[in-house]
Amino acid sequence: MSVLDIPAKSLVVLVGPSGSGKSTFAREHFLPYETLSSDTFRGYVSNDESDQAATPAAFDALQYVVGKRLEAGLLTVIDATSVQPESRRSLVALAKSHDLLPVAIVFDLPEAVCVARNAERGDRDIPPRVVKRQLDQLRRGMRGLTKEGFRKIHVLRDPAEVAAASIVRTPLLNDRRDERGPFDAIGDVHGCRSELESLLDALGYTISRDAEGRPIDAAHPEGRRVVFLGDLVDRGPDVVGVLRLAMGMVASGNALAVPGNHESKLVRALRGAKVTVSHGLGETLAQLAGETQEFRDRVATFCYDLVSHLVLDDGRLVVAHAGLKEQYQGRASSRVRDFALYGETNGETDEFGLPIRYAWADEYRGDAVVLYGHTPVPTVEWINNTACLDTGCVFGGALSAMRYPEREVVSVPAERVWFEPVRPLIDPASGQGDGQDGRDAERAHGVLDLADVQGKLFIETSGHGRIGIKEAQAAGGLEVMSRWATDPRWLIYLPPTMSPPNTSKEPGYLEHPAEAFAAFLDQGVDDVICEEKHMGSRAVVLVARDPRRFHAPAGWIGAVHTRTGRPFFDAARERTFLESVDSAMERAGLWAELDADWVLLDGEMLPWSLKAGELIRDLYASTGAAAVAATGAAADVLARAAASGVDVSALTERNAVRHTDALLFRDAYRRYVGVASETRFAPFQVLAAGSATFEERDHGWHLGVADRLREVAPEVIADTARLRVDLRDDAAVAAAIAWWSARTDAGGEGMVVKPFANRVRTASGAAQPGIKVRGREYLRIIYGPDYTLPHNLDRLRERDTGRKRSMAAREYALGLEALRRFTAGEALWRVHQAVFSVLALESDPVDPRL
């Protein structure tokens, strides 16, 4: 059996005369959509597969489709004769233009076999002379297939060989998606062996040594692996020692490596090519001259076999010496290799004579993290999900590693300047590298682009997979964001909507705790917490002690915004409030405990009238006053009518109910009217602080933080009553329902039921973050004074919470994704995409009964 191995991402060209069995072979070995037949495309453009006059148009259409498939990285098979070099040339060029490998499978079968098969075909008449001419063209051009650019060529010479052939799809050498880490990516070492040992020690690796005490391997007790980002050689004091250690780690499986431009040049030198000995190559060759020929051969083989870049962790991580654009990731061509080794330049040089490179990272919009080196930087910074780890050790800077997936930087300082740089490592004009973590100036990656939030969007989240945002939703979100939202530089989270429970079966009730408890039990959650639902306005409070983290001006201390991103207060009042919260954090010892210089809190701002003053005055108060006055006046008229002997008992009874309902409606909204001096904040969750998010901490911890704030600042922080409930305990459930009833009967809005553990994943997926259960009298504000009448309740009960809960789950995942991206130091546009998507989902109309 002939095994034909082909790259999993490639363009496969079947080459052979009519009757050689290409179409049958394609049907047997490739998926239906993978094969594009010239006959089929002739049919598309002319309604006749045998119409040779339609061939030019057919190939135009075929090549367009091929281009789209290759752009998507899909294996594509061309079923045409392709016996002439000019017919293959355009296909090879198409593969190269998409940085994929062209492969030829040649069907060089005997002429008699092809002629006999054509004679048996009833769909067309192909004369024997045509077959002979095609075979002659095929055989004359076979020797030139390699020069034409085909990377693999498989030749089948008889029917038995064709029948016995099998296809094996081999991943590209750069496809290491099954390698999931965790990894420690190390920037350019450049022969600094001592610093490399120090860094490995700081990372927790145990170094193995040979009989002469030289390091030859290093392993991590937790199974972590190093990824060397290239430029192991040149300039430094012990290139041989670095190579011996790195090669040993790669050979043992404790490390992966990609080549740098210095390894590429070293290979050419070791293999006898004429190269310019500069940039430290002379020092490397001199050090290698003292080693055995066997060692030099090992070095040459090691460096030559390194693959330009690696795609790791299911495509979530890409490593390349000089970085890699999204369109090149997971592809193979000389253009991809050149970019991975050298980056991209504009052909000009700077004042130091060094090439000016394009800042590809500023325009990067890929989902994969890209770690690279090549161009020394003072400190490691994240730019659009990419990070350069070359911190110029050989020039007197530091040797740096990035822990992945933790995104933690570990560095050791250089022991000395080993090689004087042409361009200063620290740019005195910019002031970077002076210990300010590179925050002195606004960076390009902090600038937002309208294209990032326009049109149809897909946001990858760690908790809910890919979430789609329709174009109409994005347009609605953009309207709100552009006109009313707070500055996006510090808009890093929007809270999700909250679903009510299913309709209650209790007489006279629309919502009841029993349905909320049942919903969580259905999801596999039996430990919940019932939190008082304050009648206020949802507020997200950001308190920051270092404005640079948010690209904010000096003196800025944070922001307070509503659940739709609008500023909550005017500037003066916002500052006063934030100073109070900052002081409370300090007195409660929370700044030190969280080890952070900023914190993000979620809660309710009280009283409700603080933000809803106009709504209360213009809608609720006017409606309530009119209803009370009208029903009161009607009662007087009906009383006079009854006194005169007219039977108006039915009308009187109905009006009395309406009057009572109007009074209850008025009382309901009046409970939540307060004055500005009574402003207090009821926090119920610590969303994030510093480099951490807290969705994995239970709600007991979160409310404990709120309690500590209230203890030191009761004039600013309001209490949130709560009750933990074991849903398997009938007595506990009954007590929780009684607790809710007592609070709502006394005028409380209701409660929110949440999984006590906070973020919970069950066999059926992520549990709801919370279900609100509002009180019977509070709901008059929402549905009107007479909503409790039986016919109104029946209408309101016909509501479906499924869509609302789906929206709540998606918005919750997007909010957590925004926080994860921000605390991980990702680019502002990536954070803002997730935040914006919450607002976009909110632009959808919802069932008013919810």
Side-chain angles (χ1 to χ4, degrees), residues 95 144 163 183 308 468 496 506 524 538 540 598 601 638 655 697 737 797 813 816 833:
F183 300 111
S308 67
E506 293 288 326
R538 191 73 171 265
V540 177
W598 67 272
L601 303 171
L638 290 171
N655 186 70
R697 298 203 185 185
I737 293 174
R797 282 183 171 130
L816 293 184
Q833 257 192 349

Side-chain angles (χ1 to χ4, degrees), residues 82-95:
S82 299
V83 294
Q84 298 171 326
E86 53 269 27
S87 65
R88 297 188 293 265
R89 190 174 298 122
S90 60
L91 295 173
V92 171
L94 201 54

Side-chain angles (χ1 to χ4, degrees), residues 2 55 130 197 238 267 324 364 394 526 530 568 634 675 803 837:
S2 299
T55 296
V130 173
E197 288 189 49
D238 192 0
V267 169
L324 207 62
Y364 183 71
V394 76
D526 53 31
C530 302
F568 208 100
V675 295
R803 184 167 175 271
S837 295

Side-chain angles (χ1 to χ4, degrees), residues 186-190 229-231 321 372-375 389-390 393 399:
I186 296 179
D188 303 32
V189 181
H190 278 305
L229 297 179
D231 280 5
H321 175 61
Y372 60 102
H374 188 49
T375 303
L389 304 185
D390 179 5
C393 182
L399 187 61

Side-chain angles (χ1 to χ4, degrees), residues 100-121:
L100 294 178
L101 304 177
V103 177
I105 301 179
V106 181
F107 294 76
D108 184 17
L109 271 62
E111 179 181 338
V113 172
C114 298
V115 170
R117 287 177 175 174
N118 282 323
E120 296 172 359
R121 297 174 65 172

Side-chain angles (χ1 to χ4, degrees), residues 803-825:
R803 184 167 175 271
K804 183 78 167 179
R805 289 187 184 173
S806 171
M807 182 182 293
R810 284 177 286 153
E811 291 182 4
Y812 177 65
L814 287 165
L816 293 184
E817 182 66 20
L819 293 175
R820 184 194 66 77
R821 293 180 180 186
F822 184 81
T823 54

Side-chain angles (χ1 to χ4, degrees), residues 277-288:
V277 180
S278 59
H279 302 295
L281 178 59
E283 288 84 346
T284 295
L285 293 175
Q287 292 178 39
L288 285 172

Side-chain angles (χ1 to χ4, degrees), residues 26-37 69 77 169:
R27 283 194 299 272
E28 292 175 350
H29 295 283
F30 298 101
L31 298 175
Y33 293 121
E34 290 179 333
T35 301
L36 304 180
S37 165
R69 287 184 59 84
V77 181
R169 304 182 187 211

